[in-house]
């Protein structure tokens, strides 16, 4: 009838499609992994962990994707050691920059600051707007290590990539 769907209607339609995908292809790791990723994005972590664990049983790239997003869910739940383990396993399958940034955050949260900084250095060699929060995190780690000039550069980069990162801009301004 040409009527646009409301947001709740669009969301219901999306979840129906995601459910249909895993029912239609129960042996497809990507179907489970993609629904698990959507569940993480929706904040439905317990459900996400079930789907992502199921997806991780399958091999190849689907396993890497599932492990990375299970690691992300664990990171968001505060299970930092679990997050690091899953992300390390995912990176053995697929070297994705954002997975390295997530692993750096997990390492930082477990107190491995030097390792986190090294991981961020590797992850941020190719700057990307979606990595802006990790430039800010690396700036914080560098500042704590007494490397204020490098920290200022990271804060400025974070703000350039994402103008909403006002805290990064303020941190850079304090270091002038």
């Amino acid at each position: 009838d040409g009527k646009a769907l409301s947001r709740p209607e669009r969301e219901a339609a999306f979840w129906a499609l995601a459910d249909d995908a895993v029912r239609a292809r129960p042996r497809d790791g990507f179907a489970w992994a993609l629904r698990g990723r959507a569940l993480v994005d929706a904040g439905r972590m317990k459900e996400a962990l079930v789907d992502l664990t199921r997806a991780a049983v399958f091999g190849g790239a689907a396993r890497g994707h599932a492990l990375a997003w299970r690691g992300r869910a664990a990171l968001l739940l505060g299970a930092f050691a679990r997050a690091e383990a899953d992300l390390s396993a995912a990176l053995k399958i697929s070297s994705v920059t954002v997975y390295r940034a997530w692993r750096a955050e997990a390492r930082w949260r477990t107190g491995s600051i030097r390792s986190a900084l090294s991981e961020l250095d590797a992850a941020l060699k190719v700057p990307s707007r979606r990595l802006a929060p990790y430039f800010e995190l690396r700036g914080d780690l560098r500042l704590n290590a007494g490397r204020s000039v490098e920290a200022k550069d990271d804060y400025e980069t974070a703000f350039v990539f994402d103008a909403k990162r006002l805290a990064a801009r303020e941190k850079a301004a304090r270091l002038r």
Side-chain angles (χ1 to χ4, degrees):
D1 65 32
K3 178 185 168 208
L5 295 176
S6 68
R7 180 182 175 103
E9 291 169 326
R10 285 192 314 269
E11 287 179 7
F14 170 80
W15 291 114
L17 286 171
D19 293 344
D20 287 347
V22 295
R23 269 194 300 275
R25 300 182 61 96
R27 297 187 190 282
D28 183 343
F30 274 112
W32 292 102
L34 293 174
R35 187 172 78 171
R37 177 181 176 174
L39 289 164
V40 170
D41 288 340
R44 296 165 54 184
M45 299 304 167
K46 289 183 181 180
E47 294 168 272
L49 290 172
V50 170
D51 279 9
L52 293 167
T53 298
R54 183 172 284 151
V57 170
F58 300 95
R63 177 175 170 73
H65 189 74
L67 288 169
W69 279 91
R70 191 173 74 179
R72 180 67 179 156
L75 188 61
L76 294 170
L77 289 169
F80 305 124
R82 170 67 185 264
E84 183 179 359
D86 280 347
L87 290 161
S88 292
L91 282 162
K92 288 178 183 174
I93 297 167
S94 180
S95 183
V96 176
T97 300
V98 76
Y99 299 173
R100 291 186 75 113
W102 292 346
R103 184 169 69 175
E105 184 176 352
R107 288 179 172 174
W108 168 61
R109 300 280 185 184
T110 59
S112 300
I113 294 172
R114 189 170 284 146
S115 177
L117 189 53
S118 175
E119 187 78 42
L120 283 172
D121 286 343
L124 299 177
K125 285 184 179 183
V126 180
S128 162
R129 182 181 190 283
R130 69 189 273 205
L131 296 175
Y134 298 100
F135 277 98
E136 186 172 355
L137 172 60
R138 186 172 68 176
D140 292 342
L141 295 174
R142 284 177 164 173
L143 187 61
N144 287 335
R147 296 164 55 186
S148 59
V149 172
E150 292 168 296
K152 180 178 163 284
D153 289 343
D154 282 337
Y155 293 141
E156 288 173 347
T157 300
F159 182 70
V160 166
F161 283 131
D162 185 355
K164 294 178 184 172
R165 302 204 70 77
L166 297 177
R169 181 180 181 191
E170 291 169 6
K171 291 173 187 176
R174 281 190 293 236
L175 293 174
R176 289 179 194 221

